[in-house]
């Protein structure tokens, strides 16, 4: 018996049964192709022919198995979803948050500047070193205080991998490779941040430094010193509880610092019955 195959309006053939089976095995013919042979009233789908149905079913199962083997494992989809979530979280952590960074910087500056403030006020009791007529001494004192802050901050990075302010506000500073900052790199970054971001701790320049730093973060998404040093800053979520805690810490620390440098403040507390802290001897 000979078979003819319908192909887009054309009639191909004749083919023997073995030739048809060979074409099915090669994938050239599917169950939807039309076939005709003598004895049929009209064209018929190949899958409706009893002599080829078993072979077509076997080829269909083989094709399904091949597609299953080529499909990715469920873990691949899970890994892709996990990777996308990690990328989204990483992008959120690297989003610049100027006010959060400013809060962390002020907490650190206050804590790390306190030893230098106490020392310098003991050098000249009753006020900051220098006079309006001699601003050079005051400038030197500010520079010395700035270096002191940088060294204390670098020591904190060396010992703990972070600083109190950054830990409180969940600000993570690392090398681009992901490694923590060493002592020298942390000191360099702190000097740049205090000098340019906080105006060398001098009030007139301080406001200008804040404005420049804020604009850099909003437009370039990176602070000038981080861009120069190649350090990467990431942020974790900060809730209202941490903000209130930061305010409480700053208030308490300012009160303690005031008692340490001001005999008048300590005297008021003594009259109130609080005698556990004494002012430095003048």
């Amino acid at each position: 018996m000979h078979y003819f195959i319908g192909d887009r309006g054309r009639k191909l053939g004749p083919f023997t049964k073995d030739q048809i089976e060979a074409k099915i095995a090669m994938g050239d013919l599917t169950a939807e192709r039309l076939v005709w042979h003598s004895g049929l009233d009209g064209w018929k789908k190949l899958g409706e022919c009893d002599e080829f149905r078993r072979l077509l079913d076997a080829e269909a199962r083989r094709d399904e198995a091949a597609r299953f083997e080529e499909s990715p494992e469920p873990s691949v989809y899970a890994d892709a979803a996990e990777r996308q979530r990690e990328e989204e979280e990483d992008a959120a952590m690297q989003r610049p948050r100027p006010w959060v960074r400013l809060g962390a910087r002020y907490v650190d500056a206050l804590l790390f500047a306190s030893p230098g403030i106490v020392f310098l006020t003991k050098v000249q009791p009753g006020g900051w070193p220098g006079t309006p007529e001699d601003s050079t001494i005051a400038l030197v004192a500010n520079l010395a205080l700035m270096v002191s802050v940088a060294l204390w901050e670098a020591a904190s990075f060396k010992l703990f991998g972070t600083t109190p302010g950054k830990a409180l506000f969940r600000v993570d500073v690392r090398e681009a490779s992901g490694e923590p900052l060493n002592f020298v790199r942390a000191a360099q970054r702190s000097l740049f941040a205090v000098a340019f971001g906080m105006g060398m701790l001098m009030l007139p320049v301080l406001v200008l430094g804040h404005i420049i730093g804020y604009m850099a973060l909003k437009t370039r998404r990176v602070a000038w010193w981080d861009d120069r040093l190649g350090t990467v800053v990431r942020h974790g979520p900060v809730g209202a509880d941490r903000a209130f805690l930061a305010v409480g810490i700053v208030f308490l620390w300012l009160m303690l610092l005031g008692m340490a440098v001001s005999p008048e403040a300590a005297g008021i507390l003594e009259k109130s019955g609080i005698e556990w802290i004494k002012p430095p001897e003048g």
Side-chain angles (χ1 to χ4, degrees):
M1 183 184 298
H2 289 87
Y3 297 82
F4 293 88
I5 301 297
D7 181 32
R8 289 172 293 186
R10 296 181 301 165
K11 184 173 68 173
L12 305 180
F15 301 103
T16 64
K17 181 181 178 184
D18 292 340
Q19 289 176 319
I20 296 293
E21 291 177 344
K23 287 181 177 293
I24 293 174
M26 293 176 62
D28 294 337
L29 295 178
T30 64
E32 299 300 316
R33 293 295 292 273
L34 296 177
V35 64
W36 179 86
H37 60 80
S38 59
L40 291 178
D41 295 334
W43 292 90
K44 191 176 184 180
K45 290 184 178 180
L46 196 59
E48 297 174 355
C49 298
D50 294 337
E51 61 267 38
F52 300 119
R53 184 178 294 119
R54 181 177 298 177
L55 180 60
L56 286 167
D57 290 343
E59 290 298 320
R61 288 193 297 270
R62 188 178 297 113
D63 291 342
E64 182 66 24
R67 284 194 297 270
F68 178 78
E69 292 177 357
E70 292 174 358
S71 64
E73 295 291 332
S75 60
V76 175
Y77 295 110
D79 292 343
E82 180 71 19
R83 185 163 54 254
Q84 182 179 0
R85 185 172 69 255
E86 290 177 354
E87 291 175 353
E88 291 174 353
E89 291 177 354
D90 187 66
M93 291 179 67
Q94 293 193 53
R95 186 174 67 250
R97 304 179 69 180
W99 297 111
V100 172
R101 293 178 62 168
L102 184 64
R105 172 55 57 188
Y106 264 97
V107 171
D108 287 338
L110 176 62
L111 298 181
F112 295 140
S114 297
I117 292 174
V118 174
F119 173 79
L120 291 172
T121 51
K122 289 186 66 175
V123 172
Q124 182 172 325
W128 191 252
T131 63
E133 293 77 18
D134 186 7
S135 59
T136 304
I137 297 179
L139 177 61
V140 172
N142 271 79
L143 292 176
L145 189 63
M146 185 176 69
V147 173
S148 172
V149 170
L151 293 178
W152 279 108
E153 185 167 340
S156 180
F157 266 107
K158 177 67 176 178
L159 294 174
F160 308 109
T162 186
T163 62
K166 292 175 179 59
L168 180 61
F169 283 90
R170 291 183 173 174
V171 178
D172 183 46
V173 182
R174 293 180 177 271
E175 300 285 2
S177 61
E179 296 294 322
L181 301 183
N182 59 31
F183 183 89
V184 175
R185 295 276 290 172
Q188 288 177 332
R189 185 182 184 277
S190 181
L191 279 175
F192 282 136
V194 174
F196 297 99
M198 302 191 72
M200 296 186 292
L201 304 177
M202 294 187 294
L203 186 59
V205 191
L206 183 90
V207 177
L208 180 61
H210 287 343
I211 294 174
I212 294 175
Y214 178 84
M215 295 303 297
L217 284 176
K218 296 300 289 185
T219 56
R220 301 177 57 194
R221 303 178 65 85
V222 63
W224 175 84
W225 45 90
D226 289 316
D227 188 32
R228 180 179 179 84
L229 294 174
T231 48
V232 178
V233 180
R234 290 182 171 85
H235 305 86
V238 179
D241 54 341
R242 289 180 175 264
F244 283 116
L245 179 60
V247 172
I249 290 174
V250 169
F251 178 79
L252 178 61
W253 197 263
L254 284 173
M255 185 177 67
L256 295 174
L257 183 61
M259 289 187 293
V261 301
S262 172
E264 292 80 5
I268 294 173
L269 289 175
E270 286 183 5
K271 292 178 181 178
S272 302
I274 302 176
E275 300 181 357
W276 50 272
I277 185 166
K278 298 292 184 180
E281 296 296 332

